[in-house]
């Protein structure tokens, strides 16, 4: 289960990621509302832990945007406030549950488990970036009317890139997350799969490209040729 944590207090955000990771979830944090919304919109997460007070776009506004776009990923909202009015505002905006800071990790994980059990009904089955749609069940990648099937590893690599569009994914990160720590993957395998994916993106006439940043890694970018 993939969990996105949107919390601007970095220490708390990182602590939550650690609690989730120790409990066996895949978790990553983003620290402001705008990038939080971008990540959340990718459709790659099974649960979002969302802080109420965020710089830029606050948690309520972010959640309203998300629900307005028909994104139904379960949201656990965190808040320092305890008043009933705030709680109602959060739930009205589309939060599925609510937790007041500070909280015990045991209670937090219990809420996460409860929301995770509900995910079957609401989980999204596609991820989007630029003109691309990736079907998470069939592994078909499409752009407009064209589509192409991705192999298991190609799918994993692209899914990772699509979930990290604000950031660069390092080659090492790619190897660890797609092949695991005990695999026989080398840097050449990562390069080979990136090269297969580039051919496929080209084949379906996508404007999305996988950019190589020297010494850093890879990133998806949308190129409008107008
Ligand atoms: Ca905050």
């Amino acid at each position: 289960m993939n969990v996105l944590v949107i919390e601007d207090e970095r220490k708390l955000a990182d602590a939550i990621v650690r609690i989730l990771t120790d409990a066996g979830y895949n978790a990553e944090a983003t620290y402001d509302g705008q990038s939080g919304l971008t990540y959340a919109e990718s459709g790659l997460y099974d649960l979002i832990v969302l802080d109420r007070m965020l710089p830029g776009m606050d948690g309520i506004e972010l959640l309203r945007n998300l629900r307005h776009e028909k994104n139904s990923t379960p949201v656990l909202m965190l808040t320092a406030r305890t008043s009933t009015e705030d709680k109602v505002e959060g739930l009205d905006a589309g939060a599925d549950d609510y937790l007041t800071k500070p909280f015990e990790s045991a209670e937090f994980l219990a809420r996460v488990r409860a929301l995770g059990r509900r995910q079957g009904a609401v989980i999204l089955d596609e991820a989007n970036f630029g003109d691309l749609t990736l079907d998470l069940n069939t592994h078909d990648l499409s752009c407009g009317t064209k589509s192409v099937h991705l192999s298991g590893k190609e799918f994993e690599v692209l899914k990772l890139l699509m979930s990290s569009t604000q950031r660069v994914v390092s080659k090492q990160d790619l190897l660890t997350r797609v092949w695991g720590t005990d695999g026989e993957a080398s840097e050449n395998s990562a390069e080979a799969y990136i090269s297969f994916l580039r051919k496929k993106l080209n084949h379906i006439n996508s404007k999305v490209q996988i950019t190589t940043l020297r010494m850093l890694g890879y990133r998806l970018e949308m190129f409008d040729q107008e």
Side-chain angles (χ1 to χ4, degrees):
M1 186 159 122
N2 295 316
V3 185
L4 174 65
V5 178
I6 308 173
E7 161 66 79
D8 60 307
E9 287 169 59
R10 285 184 179 244
K11 269 190 184 165
L12 180 59
D14 295 343
I16 292 173
V17 166
R18 212 157 38 240
I19 290 168
L20 287 165
T21 308
D22 288 348
Y25 299 98
N26 287 320
E28 59 185 332
T30 175
Y31 309 107
D32 69 90
Q34 198 58 57
S35 66
L37 181 62
T38 306
Y39 274 58
E41 285 171 339
S42 72
L44 292 167
Y45 300 96
D46 306 303
L47 174 69
I48 297 166
V49 177
L50 175 65
D51 186 32
R52 166 82 169 70
M53 301 292 282
L54 292 167
M57 179 186 296
D58 79 4
I60 295 283
E61 194 187 343
L62 191 159
L63 186 53
R64 286 203 179 110
N65 276 313
L66 206 59
R67 295 306 187 227
H68 183 70
E69 292 160 10
K70 308 277 182 254
N71 182 313
S72 54
T73 309
V75 167
L76 171 58
M77 188 163 263
L78 303 180
T79 181
R81 310 181 185 191
T82 51
S83 86
T84 309
E85 248 171 57
D86 284 330
K87 195 166 178 172
V88 169
E89 191 186 12
L91 295 172
D92 276 350
D96 298 86
D97 202 358
Y98 205 90
L99 195 56
T100 306
K101 296 192 274 191
F103 48 82
E104 299 286 330
S105 59
E107 184 179 9
F108 170 73
L109 286 171
R111 304 286 182 104
V112 168
R113 277 194 301 276
L115 288 174
R117 279 196 292 272
R118 274 194 233 164
Q119 70 168 324
V122 292
I123 191 166
L124 291 179
D125 51 10
E126 60 178 46
N128 299 285
F129 178 75
D131 55 14
L132 292 176
T133 301
L134 178 61
D135 188 310
L136 302 178
N137 299 316
T138 64
H139 296 193
D140 286 330
L141 177 68
S142 53
C143 170
T145 54
K146 295 196 153 201
S147 84
V148 65
H149 185 72
L150 301 187
S151 73
K153 291 291 185 231
E154 288 169 354
F155 171 77
E156 294 293 328
V157 170
L158 187 63
K159 195 172 103 171
L160 182 60
L161 289 170
M162 286 176 88
S163 68
S164 314
T165 49
Q166 294 288 308
R167 270 181 337 192
V168 177
V169 179
S170 73
K171 211 179 269 182
Q172 196 48 56
D173 204 19
L174 200 66
L175 290 173
T176 311
R177 294 188 50 185
V178 174
W179 281 270
T181 44
D182 55 355
E184 290 173 10
S186 65
E187 296 207 347
N188 291 340
S189 348
E191 275 164 26
Y193 281 95
I194 292 288
S195 154
F196 295 151
L197 282 170
R198 282 182 174 140
K199 289 198 179 93
K200 291 195 170 178
L201 288 173
N202 196 31
H203 177 70
I204 58 172
N205 295 336
S206 174
K207 287 174 180 162
V208 174
Q209 291 180 18
I210 303 171
T211 311
T212 305
L213 295 119
R214 272 180 71 80
M215 315 299 286
L216 293 173
Y218 305 102
R219 182 168 65 194
L220 285 188
E221 285 182 60
M222 177 86 171
F223 288 89
D224 268 310
Q225 301 127 324
E226 293 188 51

